[in-house]
Amino acid sequence: MHTMSIRIDYIPHGAKPIVRVAGRLTSMEISELKKVCRTIEPSFVIDLSDLVYADDEGISAISEIIDKGVQVQGASPFVKLLIDIG
């Protein structure tokens, strides 16, 4: 039995919609995250306040998204360290 480990919500919020990532981001969920982000790039905010874990591939995916100019909010100090943002 596979339990869902991630929740990705799209929240329309004027000119800067929000993509909220909650739970555990692993290689199995990256395609879903990229699919959501691709439809609204580059003008959105990625909210990582409820991200509790990301494997190496998940961190790489988040870094790629951020490198496209996406704004980050809610990242814990640990997540900021992993994705190398200040």
Side-chain angles (χ1 to χ4, degrees):
M1 182 171 115
H2 175 72
T3 58
M4 190 165 178
S5 59
I6 191 86
R7 180 176 173 151
I8 302 167
D9 294 315
Y10 169 72
I11 304 157
H13 193 267
K16 283 278 189 186
I18 297 170
V19 173
R20 182 177 298 137
V21 182
R24 300 169 55 86
L25 180 61
T26 65
S27 56
M28 293 172 51
E29 294 88 16
I30 291 171
S31 62
E32 183 65 26
L33 175 61
K34 287 184 175 183
K35 184 171 80 173
V36 170
C37 294
R38 195 171 25 250
T39 62
I40 54 175
E41 282 178 343
S43 186
F44 69 95
V45 174
I46 188 164
D47 182 347
L48 303 176
S49 54
D50 294 321
L51 180 69
V52 294
Y53 172 81
D55 66 9
D56 289 342
E57 291 178 54
I59 293 298
S60 292
I62 291 170
S63 295
E64 285 176 30
I65 292 166
I66 293 168
D67 287 346
K68 293 179 181 177
V70 171
Q71 198 177 340
V72 180
Q73 76 180 24
S76 71
F78 180 66
V79 170
K80 285 181 180 180
L81 181 68
L82 290 175
I83 58 178
D84 196 29
I85 61 171

